[in-house]
Amino acid sequence: PIRFLKPAKDFSNNKKKIILSIGRLNKQKGYDILILAFYEFIKIPLFQNWQLYILGEGPERVYLEKMIINLNLKGSVNLKGYCDPQKYFKIAKIYVQSSIFEGMPNSVLEAMTFKVPVILNNQIRGIKCLAKNKFSCLYFDNDKDDLCNKLSLLAKDFRIRKKLSENALKKVEKLNKRDISKLWLKKLGILK
């Protein structure tokens, strides 16, 4: 079950110009591509006040910090470390899962429950049953330019963000504790 799944609240009034990503700071997560895409994204005058928040820790922290300094992104890209993601889900306008591979990423499911529109690397296979391209999320082609284009599209178009986030919430609502518990009890033969 999804940990944060509650009756849907609309946090749209609290949203800030924040792109959020959550995960271990390692090569698999593709944060280098995300940071390079963000670098191109904020060159566009319309998006120069946006920020990127990355939550998590790991062996790539020093490398990513150097990258942020070299691209002159200090203050725009924030490596937040370990922290409670709920408050960030409530204020982020866009969630990005830039991983090169993943199973079923919980952070994406949680973003969907908070009605944060999601952009996913099309390399991720495990979540495609819930995350349908151009319906409940957007996919990018493991390329900084394509990711920058997807960021720009979502950042400037409220209607697309709203459509993706509402459709995503409908997809993940069935992952609540009660329904998941019933499925397990049936599988175990405890419930008929």
Side-chain angles (χ1 to χ4, degrees), residues 1 10 16 22 32 39 76 88-89 108 129 134 137 150 153 174 181 191:
D10 188 358
K16 298 183 173 146
I22 301 172
D32 53 347
Y39 175 72
S76 295
Y88 296 100
F89 284 129
V108 171
C129 59
K134 298 180 183 172
C137 72
K150 298 303 186 321
L153 175 67
K174 62 186 168 199
S181 297
L191 196 71

Side-chain angles (χ1 to χ4, degrees), residues 86-99:
Q86 282 193 62
K87 77 176 191 178
Y88 296 100
F89 284 129
K90 290 177 182 176
I91 61 171
K93 279 195 181 182
I94 299 170
Y95 184 85
V96 177
Q97 184 73 39
S98 54
S99 297

Side-chain angles (χ1 to χ4, degrees), residues 117-179:
V118 174
I119 300 174
L120 296 168
N121 190 325
N122 69 6
Q123 304 291 309
I124 300 172
R125 302 281 182 239
I127 195 165
K128 289 197 174 184
C129 59
L130 295 172
K132 302 287 185 200
N133 191 33
K134 298 180 183 172
F135 177 76
S136 54
C137 72
L138 292 179
Y139 283 110
F140 75 96
D141 293 326
N142 197 34
D143 170 82
K144 72 173 177 64
D145 295 323
D146 191 38
L147 178 51
C148 179
N149 290 336
K150 298 303 186 321
L151 288 170
S152 300
L153 175 67
L154 281 187
K156 69 181 173 191
D157 198 327
F158 171 78
R159 290 171 304 163
I160 295 175
R161 289 196 312 269
K162 186 175 184 337
K163 175 191 144 194
L164 293 177
S165 62
E166 287 176 355
N167 289 339
L169 180 63
K170 289 175 191 168
K171 291 294 242 177
V172 296
E173 281 180 324
K174 62 186 168 199
L175 299 177
N176 63 69
K177 279 185 186 178
R178 189 188 74 232
D179 291 348

Side-chain angles (χ1 to χ4, degrees), residues 5-39:
L5 192 58
K6 297 174 184 156
K9 291 182 180 174
D10 188 358
F11 298 108
S12 59
N13 293 335
N14 301 331
K15 300 294 184 180
K16 298 183 173 146
K17 294 178 178 180
I18 294 171
I19 297 163
L20 178 64
S21 191
I22 301 172
R24 185 163 161 72
L25 303 182
N26 63 18
K27 284 210 176 288
Q28 169 202 343
K29 299 299 183 181
Y31 288 129
D32 53 347
I33 292 172
L34 175 56
I35 291 170
L36 289 170
F38 182 77
Y39 175 72

